[in-house]
Amino acid sequence: MEKEKPIGVFDSGVGGLTVVKRLISALPNESIVYFGDTARVPYGSKSNDTVIEYSIQNTKFLLQKNVKTVVVACNTASSIAIDVLKKQFDIPIIGMIEPGSISAISNTRNKKIGVIGTRATINNHAYRNQLHKIDESLIVFEKACPLFVPLAEEGWVDHKATYEIADEYLKELKQSDIDTLILGCTHYPILSKVIQEVIGKNVKLIDSGVASSEIVRTEIERIGLATNSSARGNISLYVSDISTNFKSIAELFLGQSVSEIIKVDIENF
Ligand code: DGL
């Protein structure tokens, strides 16, 4: 039965589990197959060609797991590869950029929106272009915050060093009068306490994972692919490399304990 197939999710590594956490809240009865490309992370500093090649491989892997839809949890892969994936694969593919942008637009009052993400996401202006596609009059401020990724993976969710780095990264955005800030990277929701304190409580933080989970829910209902099950869905985790601390980081990001993690050879599965 098509409806009972799992939802596929991929990310460059462990960060996409923040999106899985949101998907579980929005769709508790759906099963999820997650692939984290931990052997080839980070994507945020790689060329567009490489990110596209990896994204195609990851999608093929998920399709082999018989998924009914693919969620590109990685903002970098969403920024660079989403159009190629949508063209190449005959299955609904949902990224982070469009849902995050729509959510930001519905929240802003002064039409000044900030975006933070990896270097690749920011250099490709993925969010800015998407925001302007919807509303040309928006004023968009962008800032790459690459050090937030290792800080989140270190679990430094309110460490002094995280505040110092956030102060440095966010200082121009703070002066730009934005009222909405898109967390355009899988890892940033982990640091939302620090980011909120540094940017100020009047700025609304947008978690693209929350926004995309809502889109996944409405989309699978619209096309008749929502599960009929009333039991909790299964979560299967696949990665391309299992590092020593993967389990603990995975649990921090997912917000629940993890029992089994399966390693796959993503180039020869
Ligand atoms: N998952 C990536 C993203 O959301 C962050 C980590 C990386 O650079 O691969 O952009």
Side-chain angles (χ1 to χ4, degrees):
M1 268 271 279
E2 283 296 295
K3 284 168 174 253
E4 304 316 324
K5 289 180 172 180
I7 294 172
V9 181
F10 81 80
D11 178 49
S12 56
V14 70
L17 292 174
T18 60
V19 177
V20 172
K21 183 178 173 186
R22 304 306 188 189
L23 279 167
I24 294 171
S25 308
L27 297 154
N29 309 120
E30 296 289 346
S31 291
I32 295 174
V33 175
Y34 179 84
F35 173 69
D37 199 2
T38 44
R40 304 187 295 194
V41 70
Y43 284 11
S45 51
K46 296 213 163 51
S47 70
N48 288 6
D49 284 350
T50 300
V51 172
I52 290 171
E53 183 193 326
Y54 290 175
S55 299
I56 291 172
Q57 278 174 0
N58 300 345
T59 305
K60 284 186 178 162
F61 171 75
L62 290 173
L63 285 174
Q64 209 206 42
K65 295 283 159 208
N66 216 13
V67 299
K68 60 185 172 190
T69 176
V70 169
V71 179
V72 184
C74 180
N75 283 257
T76 303
S78 296
S79 301
I80 295 166
I82 199 86
D83 291 338
V84 176
L85 298 179
K86 282 185 176 172
K87 235 177 250 155
Q88 184 158 338
F89 298 100
D90 189 20
I91 183 172
I93 299 197
I94 295 165
M96 296 294 120
I97 312 303
E98 200 177 349
S101 301
I102 293 169
S103 173
I105 290 173
S106 62
N107 274 282
T108 184
R109 293 166 308 282
N110 70 4
K111 293 199 165 199
K112 292 183 184 160
I113 298 175
V115 183
I116 53 177
T118 61
R119 281 213 173 86
T121 298
I122 297 304
N123 291 345
N124 281 286
H125 303 295
Y127 277 102
R128 191 184 73 184
N129 293 342
Q130 181 65 50
L131 288 162
H132 281 155
K133 206 165 140 189
I134 304 172
D135 182 349
E136 259 182 21
S137 69
L138 293 165
I139 303 170
V140 182
F141 300 88
E142 303 164 288
K143 179 77 186 173
C145 304
L147 291 174
F148 281 171
V149 168
L151 288 168
E153 293 199 1
E154 207 52 43
W156 286 12
V157 292
D158 56 4
H159 193 285
K160 199 168 98 239
T162 311
Y163 278 98
E164 277 172 24
I165 289 167
D167 273 333
E168 181 63 32
Y169 276 152
L170 304 177
K171 66 176 184 235
E172 290 135 26
L173 285 175
K174 254 184 104 164
Q175 282 158 11
S176 61
D177 191 34
I178 54 165
D179 69 355
T180 307
L181 177 62
I182 300 176
L183 305 178
C185 174
T186 46
H187 290 61
Y188 299 178
I190 296 289
L191 304 180
S192 59
K193 177 175 177 275
V194 174
I195 295 170
Q196 185 76 74
E197 277 177 39
V198 169
I199 199 74
K201 64 176 178 349
N202 295 328
V203 176
K204 170 83 181 163
L205 301 187
I206 303 296
D207 180 337
S208 294
V210 174
S212 73
S213 298
E214 278 312 308
I215 301 281
V216 174
R217 192 166 61 80
T218 47
E219 186 59 13
I220 61 173
E221 275 167 14
R222 190 184 67 81
I223 57 181
L225 283 186
T227 178
N228 289 327
S229 166
S230 53
R232 279 195 84 78
N234 292 322
I235 313 295
S236 312
L237 301 183
Y238 294 87
V239 291
S240 46
D241 188 30
I242 304 182
S243 58
T244 43
N245 57 348
F246 181 83
K247 193 168 178 290
S248 58
I249 308 167
E251 289 176 347
L252 169 70
F253 280 41
L254 191 56
Q256 65 182 55
S257 63
V258 163
S259 47
E260 195 189 14
I261 303 158
I262 303 161
K263 187 178 163 190
V264 292
D265 178 356
I266 193 63
E267 280 163 22
N268 306 292
F269 56 86

